[in-house]
């Protein structure tokens, strides 16, 4: 079967569910582009922290966003001419990204960027509100989840010796971020009504991608 080259696929879910791994695998398997929207919010958080701006200072946040120049070059995230790919994965930036992403001024600034990228299709977009807010017209939507303990273990394995954090501390951070992301007024974390929900707790990344590919083929057969 020849896969349609213009599908728009979204993968949402909480931290540590495996979104990044499976999104990259799915995009590569389909020959699609990959969009890590979480990295865009981390970039804002990085610049906000560097400027010494509080996450609730909407005027300051707006100033940062107005002067933000983001680009992806050879799978590296560049902000205002600087490669920040390795600087946005710390626990501090993670929590700050969750805080700034709840501010309307930040979400509005990044919304246009994301929609422009997705306009041509042929894209796997990973995030927390891709299927509900950014791309409600997406051809296929997934919501990937797992138990908090399993997600914490995965995140711990991604960090260099846990980034100085214990497994229990990472689990506590994830629970706090889940609460922040799910309870915010703007674009709360939740599955789209028409999303395919996948619990990856006991699944490998390969099994998750195989399940997603099966849904892609089913969609194409029905069209």
């Amino acid at each position: 079967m020849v896969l349609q080259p213009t599908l728009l696929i979204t993968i949402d879910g909480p931290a540590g569910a495996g979104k990044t791994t499976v999104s990259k695998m799915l995009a590569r398997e389909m020959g699609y582009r990959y969009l890590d929207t979480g990295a865009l919010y981390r970039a804002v958080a990085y610049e906000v922290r560097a400027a010494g701006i509080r996450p609730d200072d909407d005027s300051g946040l707006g100033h940062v966003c107005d002067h933000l120049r983001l680009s992806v070059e050879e799978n590296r995230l560049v902000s205002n001419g600087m490669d920040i790919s390795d600087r946005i994965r710390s626990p501090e930036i993670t929590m700050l990204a969750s805080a700034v992403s709840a501010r309307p001024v930040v979400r509005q600034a990044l919304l246009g960027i994301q929609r422009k990228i997705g306009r041509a299709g042929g894209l796997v977009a990973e995030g927390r509100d891709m299927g509900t807010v950014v791309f409600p017209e997406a051809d296929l939507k997934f919501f990937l989840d797992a138990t908090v303990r399993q997600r914490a273990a995965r995140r711990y394995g991604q960090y260099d010796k846990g980034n100085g954090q214990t497994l229990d501390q990472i689990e506590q951070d994830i629970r706090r971020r889940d609460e922040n992301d799910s309870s915010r007024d703007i674009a709360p974390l939740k599955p789209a009504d028409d999303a395919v929900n996948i619990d990856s707790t006991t699944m490998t990344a390969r099994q998750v991608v195989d399940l997603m590919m099966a849904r892609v083929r089913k969609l194409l057969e029905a069209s």
Side-chain angles (χ1 to χ4, degrees):
M1 177 187 299
V2 177
L3 295 178
Q4 185 176 333
T6 58
L7 292 179
L8 176 55
I9 300 173
T10 61
I11 301 178
D12 290 315
K19 299 189 306 295
T20 297
T21 299
V22 301
S23 296
K24 288 180 177 178
M25 289 175 64
L26 183 64
R28 184 166 55 248
E29 196 151 319
M30 296 186 68
Y32 276 20
R33 295 171 297 146
Y34 161 69
L35 176 62
D36 177 5
T37 58
L40 302 182
Y41 285 101
R42 287 173 180 269
V44 174
Y46 175 84
E47 297 295 350
V48 164
R49 186 169 184 249
I53 295 170
R54 298 191 318 274
D56 61 350
D57 179 357
D58 286 338
S59 177
L61 293 175
H63 180 79
V64 168
C65 290
D66 287 343
H67 293 82
L68 192 63
R69 299 295 177 265
L70 292 177
S71 63
V72 178
E73 302 174 12
E74 297 182 356
N75 292 325
R76 305 292 291 180
L77 183 62
V78 177
S79 176
N80 298 330
M82 178 184 296
D83 183 349
I84 62 171
S85 305
D86 300 325
R87 305 184 182 191
I88 60 173
R89 299 296 173 180
S90 69
E92 293 80 12
I93 294 299
T94 295
M95 295 307 298
L96 185 55
S98 180
V100 301
S101 69
R103 310 304 294 186
V105 63
V106 175
R107 302 201 72 85
Q108 189 61 39
L110 293 184
L111 184 62
I113 295 174
Q114 295 170 93
R115 286 181 171 169
K116 182 177 180 180
I117 294 172
R119 195 169 296 147
L123 181 73
V124 175
E126 168 208 342
R128 283 172 170 72
D129 63 348
M130 294 298 97
T132 54
V133 176
V134 181
F135 301 119
E137 77 290 353
D139 298 290
L140 190 55
K141 305 172 186 177
F142 295 103
F143 190 88
L144 192 61
D145 204 351
T147 63
V148 174
R149 191 63 175 182
Q150 180 63 29
R151 291 190 279 130
R154 289 171 180 168
R155 186 55 54 87
Y156 182 80
Q158 292 171 352
Y159 290 158
D160 181 17
K161 295 183 179 179
N163 260 15
Q165 290 185 298
T166 66
L167 179 59
D168 287 341
Q169 288 173 328
I170 293 176
E171 181 175 345
Q172 185 177 24
D173 282 350
I174 285 179
R175 288 186 185 279
R176 186 163 63 248
R177 186 170 184 185
D178 283 352
E179 175 62 25
N180 290 343
D181 289 348
S182 300
S183 62
R184 65 192 181 204
D185 293 331
I186 305 297
L189 171 67
K190 64 178 182 179
D193 291 339
D194 53 347
V196 177
N197 293 277
I198 301 176
D199 185 340
S200 69
T201 302
T202 60
M203 299 176 70
T204 65
R206 180 69 261 169
Q207 289 173 326
V208 173
V209 172
D210 286 345
L211 179 58
M212 290 178 170
M213 285 299 300
R215 296 304 296 244
V216 169
R217 292 189 175 92
K218 182 177 180 180
L219 173 66
L220 295 177
E221 289 169 355
S223 63

